[in-house]
Amino acid sequence: MTAPNIETIVSLAKRRGFVYPSSEIYGGLGSAWDYGPLGVELCNNVKQAWWRWMVYERDDIEGLDSSIILNRLVWKYSGHEDTFSDPLVDCRECKTRLRADKLNDGKCPNCGSTDLTEPRPFNLMFRTHVGAASEEDDSSLVYLRPETAQGIFINFNNVLTTSRRKLPFGVAQLGKSFRNEVTPGNFIFRTREFEQMEMEYFVRPGEDEKVHQEWIDQCSQWFLELGIAGENLRLYEQPKEELAHYAKRTVDVQYRFFPEREDAEKQWDELMGIANRTDFDLRTHSKKPEDAEGKRLNPDSTEDLSYFDEATKERFYPYVIEPAAGVNRTVLAVLMDAYTEKTNDKGETRVILKLHPALAPIKAAVLPLAKNKPEIVALAKSIKRSLQPVLRAVYDDTGGIGKLYARQDEIGTPFCVTVDHQSLEDNEVTVRDRDTWEQERVKVVELEGYLLKRLNK
Ligand code: GAP
């Protein structure tokens, strides 16, 4: 099935409380979005799924949570101060600011003019000042991190020593990153504040290419396991001229975010990048970089981030394989992929969000068939309360049963649990499956186990 376009998702997201335009009561703030009651659950579930896959289900990866604001020198030596920029051009006709690398045939996409300024680099890092310092005081200048990765590299020795790890091993981190994007847009696809899920995997030089390929395969597999259709995913080998300053090879996992575009190639864009960063980062942050040409000399660092291999008595800088994904883009991809329309017996078209149960914001909705019958309401509420310590459940009696089912289908709730008159006699409830609309009677005492089993399938 081809995914719907982003506009369909924007409308569903706002209507049902997944994502709202930010600062809306003050006219909004370009390309900033707030996650509502369902959106925050979906984001948390994506992050939890990633953390479980990266950290809990493996033996070789540790977690970390470093600061967003780091010493400015981190960004000097990482290369971001000098090179983390987009080529900016201005349209002299309509004054629009554009990215030179995204222009169609050298024409302004806004007015069609070809009267553009020469490209100039525009650094994407947000600047601020620490302490009670003035804007002009350069010594207090700091940046909001544009990637979480550097927090991992500067803690390499700390993690190595405290976890007593040996190569190969990885460090995972997720959290907010900030980029002053020249052309943000397409809903939550490209924003200036976003969340990343990154893992830096340290290996012996020489083993990097093989391990890189293994991660490329595993990462595609993870998205499939989240329920994204294989036909909407593909791998993209970045050509040499697109590579970041630190990368030897990068392969992106792309998603078909823009199915409505005529040019098939432009339908795809990055969901996750899997880079071979070589030993660039550990070497550049080390106080004694062993660079024959004297490049990347670092007189500011107090540590050497090389690794000593006890077995071979060798000292070297490990190579780094980095799978880096965006939380927000993953949320967008799973929403687009889960979006389904189904027509019922009466010819009414319903939206069903076929989210993977692990990602669904609400796992079960408990619904009383008759809200004017106190015993039914009381039983339904007690069932909801008994489920809530183990799974996210809600109680809803604000409509007829058909409407309540439709509402839960539209937000991706895998199961509706209906309490009816008969439930008072036989202590059984009806469990309705979101995807098949099939119903099954289940004993109240067995409900929790039944739901957990089906949710974890
Ligand atoms: N440490 C490597 C790194 O940051 P990247 O390809 O620039 O690599 C990784 O970013 C992921 O972060 C991207 O695949 C994307 O999912 C997400 N991302 C990057 N910039 C973003 C933005 N402006 N808005 C939303 N997500 C973004």
Side-chain angles (χ1 to χ4, degrees), residues 153-215:
F153 300 130
I154 59 173
N155 276 294
F156 176 72
N157 274 358
N158 286 334
V159 177
L160 187 65
T161 318
T162 50
S163 68
R164 310 172 81 84
R165 286 283 179 183
K166 291 194 167 38
L167 292 185
F169 75 97
V171 181
Q173 161 154 243
L174 54 82
K176 290 254 167 132
S177 290
F178 302 82
R179 296 180 190 177
N180 199 1
E181 300 280 1
V182 178
T183 47
N186 290 313
F187 189 35
I188 53 174
F189 178 80
R190 192 183 308 284
T191 49
R192 296 190 171 107
E193 171 179 345
F194 55 98
E195 231 169 335
Q196 289 187 308
M197 306 182 279
E198 300 199 290
M199 196 277 293
E200 311 302 318
Y201 198 75
F202 301 98
V203 298
R204 293 181 69 91
E207 289 173 9
D208 53 307
E209 290 180 11
K210 181 174 144 279
V211 175
H212 189 196
Q213 191 54 50
E214 286 166 7
W215 275 106

Coordinates of all heavy atoms in Angstrom, one line a residue, residues 153-215:
F153 N 31.8 11.0 22.3 CA 33.2 10.9 22.1 C 34.0 11.5 23.3 O 35.0 11.0 23.7 CB 33.6 11.7 20.8 CG 32.9 11.1 19.6 CD1 32.2 11.9 18.7 CD2 33.0 9.7 19.4 CE1 31.6 11.3 17.6 CE2 32.3 9.1 18.3 CZ 31.6 9.9 17.4
I154 N 33.5 12.6 23.8 CA 34.3 13.3 24.9 C 34.2 12.5 26.2 O 35.0 12.7 27.1 CB 33.9 14.8 25.1 CG1 32.4 14.9 25.4 CG2 34.2 15.6 23.9 CD1 31.9 16.3 25.8
N155 N 33.2 11.5 26.3 CA 33.1 10.7 27.4 C 33.7 9.3 27.2 O 33.5 8.4 28.0 CB 31.7 10.5 27.8 CG 31.2 11.7 28.7 OD1 31.7 11.9 29.8 ND2 30.3 12.5 28.2
F156 N 34.4 9.1 26.1 CA 34.9 7.8 25.7 C 35.7 7.2 26.9 O 35.5 6.0 27.3 CB 35.8 7.9 24.4 CG 36.4 6.6 24.0 CD1 35.6 5.5 23.5 CD2 37.8 6.3 24.2 CE1 36.2 4.3 23.2 CE2 38.3 5.1 23.8 CZ 37.5 4.1 23.3
N157 N 36.7 7.9 27.4 CA 37.5 7.4 28.5 C 36.7 7.1 29.7 O 36.9 6.1 30.4 CB 38.7 8.3 28.8 CG 39.9 8.1 27.9 OD1 39.8 7.2 27.0 ND2 40.9 8.9 28.1
N158 N 35.8 8.0 30.0 CA 34.9 7.7 31.2 C 34.2 6.4 31.1 O 34.1 5.6 32.1 CB 33.9 8.9 31.4 CG 34.6 10.2 31.9 OD1 35.6 10.1 32.5 ND2 33.9 11.3 31.6
V159 N 33.5 6.2 30.0 CA 32.7 5.0 29.8 C 33.6 3.8 29.8 O 33.3 2.8 30.4 CB 31.8 5.1 28.6 CG1 31.0 3.8 28.4 CG2 30.9 6.3 28.6
L160 N 34.7 3.9 29.1 CA 35.6 2.8 29.0 C 36.1 2.3 30.4 O 36.1 1.2 30.7 CB 36.8 3.2 28.1 CG 37.8 2.1 27.7 CD1 37.2 1.1 26.9 CD2 39.0 2.7 27.0
T161 N 36.5 3.3 31.2 CA 37.1 3.0 32.5 C 36.0 2.4 33.4 O 36.2 1.4 34.1 CB 37.7 4.2 33.2 OG1 38.4 5.0 32.2 CG2 38.6 3.9 34.3
T162 N 34.8 3.1 33.5 CA 33.8 2.7 34.4 C 33.1 1.4 34.0 O 32.6 0.7 34.9 CB 32.8 3.8 34.7 OG1 32.3 4.3 33.4 CG2 33.4 5.0 35.4
S163 N 33.0 1.1 32.8 CA 32.3 -0.1 32.4 C 33.2 -1.2 32.1 O 32.8 -2.4 31.9 CB 31.4 0.2 31.1 OG 32.3 0.4 30.0
R164 N 34.5 -1.0 32.1 CA 35.5 -2.0 31.9 C 35.3 -2.8 30.6 O 35.4 -4.0 30.5 CB 35.6 -3.0 33.1 CG 35.6 -2.3 34.4 CD 35.5 -3.3 35.6 NE 36.7 -4.0 35.8 CZ 37.7 -3.5 36.6 NH1 37.5 -2.3 37.2 NH2 38.8 -4.2 36.8
R165 N 34.9 -2.0 29.6 CA 34.7 -2.6 28.3 C 35.9 -2.9 27.5 O 37.0 -2.2 27.7 CB 33.8 -1.6 27.5 CG 32.4 -1.6 27.9 CD 31.6 -2.8 27.4 NE 30.2 -2.8 27.9 CZ 29.4 -3.7 27.6 NH1 29.8 -4.8 27.0 NH2 28.2 -3.7 28.0
K166 N 35.8 -3.8 26.6 CA 36.9 -4.1 25.6 C 36.2 -3.9 24.2 O 35.0 -4.1 24.0 CB 37.4 -5.5 25.7 CG 38.2 -5.7 27.0 CD 39.0 -7.0 27.0 CE 40.0 -7.0 28.1 NZ 39.6 -6.5 29.4
L167 N 37.0 -3.6 23.2 CA 36.5 -3.4 21.8 C 36.0 -4.8 21.4 O 36.6 -5.8 21.8 CB 37.6 -2.9 20.9 CG 38.1 -1.5 21.1 CD1 39.1 -1.2 19.9 CD2 36.9 -0.5 21.1
P168 N 35.0 -4.9 20.5 CA 34.2 -3.8 20.1 C 33.1 -3.5 21.1 O 32.5 -4.5 21.7 CB 33.6 -4.3 18.8 CG 33.5 -5.8 19.0 CD 34.6 -6.2 19.9
F169 N 32.7 -2.3 21.3 CA 31.5 -1.9 22.1 C 31.0 -0.6 21.7 O 31.6 0.2 20.9 CB 31.9 -1.9 23.6 CG 32.7 -0.7 24.0 CD1 32.0 0.5 24.6 CD2 34.1 -0.6 23.8 CE1 32.8 1.6 24.9 CE2 34.8 0.5 24.2 CZ 34.1 1.6 24.7
G170 N 29.8 -0.3 22.1 CA 29.1 0.9 21.7 C 28.5 1.7 22.8 O 28.4 1.2 23.9
V171 N 28.3 3.0 22.6 CA 27.6 3.9 23.5 C 26.4 4.5 22.8 O 26.6 5.1 21.8 CB 28.6 4.9 24.1 CG1 27.8 5.8 25.1 CG2 29.8 4.3 24.7
A172 N 25.2 4.4 23.5 CA 24.0 4.9 22.9 C 23.5 6.1 23.6 O 23.6 6.2 24.8 CB 22.9 3.8 22.9
Q173 N 23.0 7.1 22.9 CA 22.4 8.3 23.6 C 21.2 8.8 22.7 O 21.3 8.8 21.5 CB 23.5 9.3 23.6 CG 22.9 10.7 23.9 CD 23.9 11.7 24.5 OE1 23.7 12.2 25.6 NE2 25.0 12.0 23.9
L174 N 20.2 9.2 23.4 CA 19.1 9.9 22.7 C 18.8 11.2 23.4 O 18.9 11.3 24.6 CB 17.9 9.0 22.5 CG 17.2 8.3 23.6 CD1 16.2 9.2 24.3 CD2 16.4 7.1 23.1
G175 N 18.4 12.2 22.6 CA 18.1 13.5 23.2 C 18.0 14.5 22.1 O 18.1 14.3 20.9
K176 N 17.7 15.7 22.6 CA 17.4 16.9 21.7 C 18.7 17.3 21.0 O 19.8 17.4 21.6 CB 16.8 18.0 22.5 CG 15.4 17.7 22.9 CD 14.4 18.5 22.1 CE 13.0 18.0 22.4 NZ 12.0 19.0 22.7
S177 N 18.6 17.7 19.8 CA 19.6 18.4 19.0 C 19.0 19.6 18.3 O 17.8 19.6 18.2 CB 20.3 17.5 18.0 OG 21.0 16.5 18.6
F178 N 19.8 20.5 18.0 CA 19.3 21.8 17.4 C 20.1 22.2 16.2 O 21.4 22.2 16.2 CB 19.4 22.9 18.5 CG 18.7 22.6 19.8 CD1 19.3 21.8 20.7 CD2 17.5 23.1 20.0 CE1 18.6 21.4 21.9 CE2 16.8 22.7 21.2 CZ 17.4 21.9 22.1
R179 N 19.4 22.6 15.2 CA 20.1 23.1 14.0 C 19.3 24.3 13.4 O 18.1 24.1 13.2 CB 20.2 22.0 12.9 CG 21.1 20.9 13.3 CD 21.2 19.8 12.3 NE 21.9 18.7 12.9 CZ 22.1 17.5 12.3 NH1 21.7 17.4 11.0 NH2 22.7 16.5 12.9
N180 N 20.0 25.4 13.2 CA 19.2 26.5 12.6 C 19.1 26.4 11.1 O 19.7 27.1 10.3 CB 20.0 27.8 13.0 CG 19.1 29.0 12.9 OD1 18.0 28.9 12.6 ND2 19.7 30.2 13.1
E181 N 18.2 25.4 10.8 CA 18.0 25.0 9.4 C 17.6 26.2 8.5 O 16.7 27.0 9.0 CB 17.0 23.9 9.3 CG 17.3 22.6 10.0 CD 18.2 21.7 9.2 OE1 18.6 22.1 8.1 OE2 18.5 20.6 9.8
V182 N 18.2 26.3 7.3 CA 17.8 27.4 6.5 C 16.4 27.2 5.9 O 15.6 28.2 5.9 CB 18.8 27.5 5.3 CG1 18.4 28.6 4.3 CG2 20.2 27.7 5.8
T183 N 16.1 26.0 5.5 CA 14.8 25.7 5.0 C 14.1 24.5 5.7 O 14.1 23.4 5.2 CB 14.8 25.4 3.5 OG1 15.9 24.4 3.3 CG2 15.1 26.6 2.6
P184 N 13.6 24.8 6.9 CA 12.9 23.7 7.6 C 11.6 23.5 6.9 O 11.2 24.3 6.0 CB 12.7 24.3 9.0 CG 12.7 25.7 8.9 CD 13.5 26.1 7.7
G185 N 10.9 22.4 7.3 CA 9.6 22.2 6.7 C 9.2 20.8 6.5 O 9.9 19.9 7.0
N186 N 8.0 20.6 5.8 CA 7.4 19.3 5.7 C 7.1 18.7 7.1 O 7.6 17.7 7.4 CB 8.3 18.4 4.9 CG 8.4 18.7 3.5 OD1 7.4 19.0 2.9 ND2 9.6 18.8 2.9
F187 N 6.3 19.5 7.8 CA 5.8 19.1 9.1 C 7.0 18.8 10.0 O 7.9 19.6 10.2 CB 4.9 17.9 8.9 CG 4.1 17.4 10.0 CD1 3.6 18.3 11.0 CD2 3.8 16.1 10.2 CE1 2.8 17.8 12.0 CE2 3.0 15.6 11.2 CZ 2.5 16.5 12.1
I188 N 7.0 17.6 10.7 CA 8.1 17.3 11.6 C 9.3 16.7 11.0 O 10.2 16.2 11.6 CB 7.6 16.4 12.8 CG1 6.9 15.1 12.2 CG2 6.6 17.2 13.7 CD1 6.5 14.1 13.3
F189 N 9.3 16.7 9.6 CA 10.5 16.1 8.9 C 11.8 16.9 9.1 O 12.8 16.3 9.4 CB 10.2 16.0 7.4 CG 11.3 15.4 6.6 CD1 11.5 14.1 6.6 CD2 12.3 16.3 6.0 CE1 12.6 13.5 5.9 CE2 13.4 15.7 5.3 CZ 13.5 14.4 5.3
R190 N 11.7 18.2 9.0 CA 12.9 19.0 9.2 C 12.5 20.2 10.1 O 11.8 21.1 9.6 CB 13.5 19.5 7.9 CG 14.9 20.1 8.0 CD 15.4 20.7 6.7 NE 15.4 19.7 5.6 CZ 16.3 18.7 5.5 NH1 17.2 18.5 6.4 NH2 16.1 17.9 4.4
T191 N 13.0 20.2 11.3 CA 12.7 21.2 12.2 C 14.0 21.7 12.8 O 15.1 21.1 12.6 CB 11.8 20.7 13.4 OG1 12.4 19.5 13.9 CG2 10.4 20.5 12.9
R192 N 14.0 22.8 13.6 CA 15.2 23.4 14.1 C 15.5 22.8 15.5 O 16.7 22.8 15.9 CB 15.1 24.9 14.2 CG 14.9 25.5 12.8 CD 15.1 27.0 12.9 NE 15.1 27.6 11.5 CZ 14.1 28.2 10.9 NH1 13.0 28.5 11.6 NH2 14.3 28.7 9.7
E193 N 14.5 22.2 16.1 CA 14.7 21.5 17.4 C 14.1 20.1 17.1 O 13.0 20.0 16.7 CB 13.9 22.2 18.5 CG 13.8 21.4 19.8 CD 13.1 22.2 20.8 OE1 12.8 23.4 20.7 OE2 12.7 21.6 21.8
F194 N 14.9 19.1 17.4 CA 14.5 17.7 17.1 C 15.2 16.8 18.0 O 16.1 17.1 18.8 CB 14.7 17.4 15.6 CG 16.1 17.5 15.2 CD1 17.0 16.4 15.1 CD2 16.6 18.8 14.8 CE1 18.3 16.6 14.7 CE2 17.9 18.9 14.4 CZ 18.8 17.9 14.4
E195 N 14.8 15.5 17.9 CA 15.4 14.5 18.8 C 16.1 13.5 18.0 O 15.6 13.0 17.0 CB 14.3 13.9 19.7 CG 14.7 13.9 21.2 CD 13.5 13.6 22.1 OE1 12.4 13.7 21.7 OE2 13.8 13.1 23.2
Q196 N 17.3 13.1 18.5 CA 18.1 12.1 17.8 C 18.3 10.8 18.6 O 18.2 10.9 19.9 CB 19.5 12.6 17.5 CG 19.5 13.7 16.4 CD 20.9 14.1 16.0 OE1 21.7 14.4 16.8 NE2 21.2 14.0 14.7
M197 N 18.5 9.7 18.0 CA 18.8 8.4 18.6 C 20.1 8.0 18.0 O 20.1 7.6 16.8 CB 17.7 7.4 18.4 CG 16.3 7.9 18.8 SD 15.0 6.7 18.6 CE 14.7 6.8 16.8
E198 N 21.2 8.1 18.7 CA 22.5 7.9 18.1 C 23.3 6.8 18.9 O 23.2 6.8 20.1 CB 23.3 9.1 18.0 CG 22.7 10.2 17.2 CD 23.7 11.3 16.7 OE1 24.2 12.1 17.5 OE2 23.9 11.3 15.5
M199 N 24.1 6.1 18.2 CA 24.9 5.1 18.8 C 26.3 5.1 18.1 O 26.4 5.0 16.9 CB 24.3 3.7 18.7 CG 24.9 2.7 19.7 SD 26.4 1.9 19.1 CE 25.8 1.0 17.7
E200 N 27.3 5.2 19.0 CA 28.7 5.2 18.4 C 29.3 3.8 18.8 O 29.4 3.5 20.0 CB 29.5 6.3 19.0 CG 28.9 7.7 19.0 CD 28.5 8.2 17.6 OE1 29.3 8.0 16.7 OE2 27.4 8.7 17.4
Y201 N 29.7 3.1 17.8 CA 30.2 1.7 18.0 C 31.7 1.7 17.7 O 32.1 2.0 16.5 CB 29.4 0.7 17.1 CG 29.5 -0.7 17.5 CD1 28.9 -1.2 18.6 CD2 30.4 -1.6 16.8 CE1 29.0 -2.5 19.0 CE2 30.5 -2.9 17.2 CZ 29.8 -3.3 18.3 OH 29.9 -4.6 18.7
F202 N 32.5 1.4 18.7 CA 33.9 1.5 18.6 C 34.5 0.2 18.2 O 34.3 -0.9 18.9 CB 34.5 2.0 19.9 CG 34.0 3.3 20.3 CD1 32.9 3.4 21.2 CD2 34.5 4.5 19.8 CE1 32.4 4.7 21.6 CE2 33.9 5.8 20.1 CZ 32.9 5.8 21.0
V203 N 35.3 0.2 17.1 CA 35.9 -1.1 16.6 C 37.4 -0.9 16.3 O 37.9 0.3 16.2 CB 35.2 -1.6 15.3 CG1 33.8 -1.9 15.6 CG2 35.4 -0.6 14.2
R204 N 38.1 -2.0 16.2 CA 39.5 -1.9 15.7 C 39.6 -1.4 14.3 O 38.7 -1.8 13.5 CB 40.2 -3.3 15.7 CG 40.4 -3.9 17.1 CD 41.0 -5.3 17.0 NE 42.4 -5.1 16.5 CZ 43.5 -5.0 17.3 NH1 43.3 -5.1 18.6 NH2 44.7 -4.8 16.9
P205 N 40.5 -0.5 14.0 CA 40.7 -0.1 12.6 C 40.9 -1.4 11.7 O 41.6 -2.3 12.2 CB 42.0 0.7 12.5 CG 42.2 1.1 14.0 CD 41.5 0.1 14.8
G206 N 40.3 -1.5 10.6 CA 40.5 -2.7 9.8 C 39.2 -3.6 9.9 O 38.9 -4.3 8.9
E207 N 38.5 -3.5 11.0 CA 37.3 -4.2 11.2 C 36.1 -3.3 10.8 O 34.9 -3.7 10.9 CB 37.1 -4.8 12.6 CG 38.1 -5.9 12.9 CD 38.1 -6.4 14.3 OE1 37.2 -5.9 15.1 OE2 38.9 -7.2 14.7
D208 N 36.4 -2.0 10.6 CA 35.3 -1.0 10.5 C 34.4 -1.3 9.3 O 33.1 -1.2 9.4 CB 35.9 0.4 10.3 CG 36.9 0.5 9.2 OD1 37.9 -0.3 9.3 OD2 36.8 1.4 8.4
E209 N 34.9 -1.8 8.1 CA 34.1 -1.9 6.9 C 33.0 -3.0 7.1 O 31.9 -2.9 6.8 CB 34.9 -2.1 5.7 CG 35.7 -0.8 5.4 CD 36.5 -0.9 4.1 OE1 36.5 -1.9 3.4 OE2 37.3 0.0 3.9
K210 N 33.5 -4.1 7.7 CA 32.6 -5.3 7.9 C 31.5 -4.9 8.9 O 30.4 -5.2 8.7 CB 33.5 -6.5 8.4 CG 32.7 -7.7 8.6 CD 33.7 -8.9 9.0 CE 33.1 -9.8 10.0 NZ 33.2 -9.4 11.4
V211 N 32.0 -4.3 10.0 CA 31.0 -4.0 11.1 C 30.0 -2.9 10.6 O 28.8 -3.0 10.9 CB 31.7 -3.5 12.4 CG1 30.7 -3.0 13.4 CG2 32.6 -4.6 12.9
H212 N 30.5 -2.0 9.7 CA 29.6 -1.0 9.1 C 28.5 -1.7 8.4 O 27.3 -1.4 8.5 CB 30.4 -0.1 8.2 CG 29.7 1.1 7.7 ND1 30.1 1.9 6.7 CD2 28.5 1.7 8.1 CE1 29.2 2.8 6.5 NE2 28.3 2.8 7.3
Q213 N 28.9 -2.7 7.5 CA 27.9 -3.4 6.7 C 26.9 -4.1 7.6 O 25.7 -4.1 7.3 CB 28.6 -4.3 5.8 CG 27.6 -4.9 4.7 CD 26.9 -3.8 3.9 OE1 27.5 -2.9 3.4 NE2 25.6 -3.9 3.8
E214 N 27.4 -4.7 8.7 CA 26.5 -5.4 9.6 C 25.4 -4.5 10.2 O 24.2 -4.8 10.3 CB 27.2 -6.1 10.8 CG 28.0 -7.3 10.3 CD 29.1 -7.7 11.3 OE1 29.1 -7.2 12.5 OE2 29.8 -8.6 11.0
W215 N 25.9 -3.3 10.6 CA 24.9 -2.3 11.2 C 23.9 -1.8 10.1 O 22.7 -1.6 10.4 CB 25.6 -1.1 11.8 CG 26.0 -1.5 13.2 CD1 27.3 -1.8 13.7 CD2 25.1 -1.6 14.3 NE1 27.2 -2.1 15.0 CE2 25.9 -2.0 15.4 CE3 23.8 -1.4 14.5 CZ2 25.4 -2.2 16.7 CZ3 23.2 -1.7 15.8 CH2 24.0 -2.0 16.8

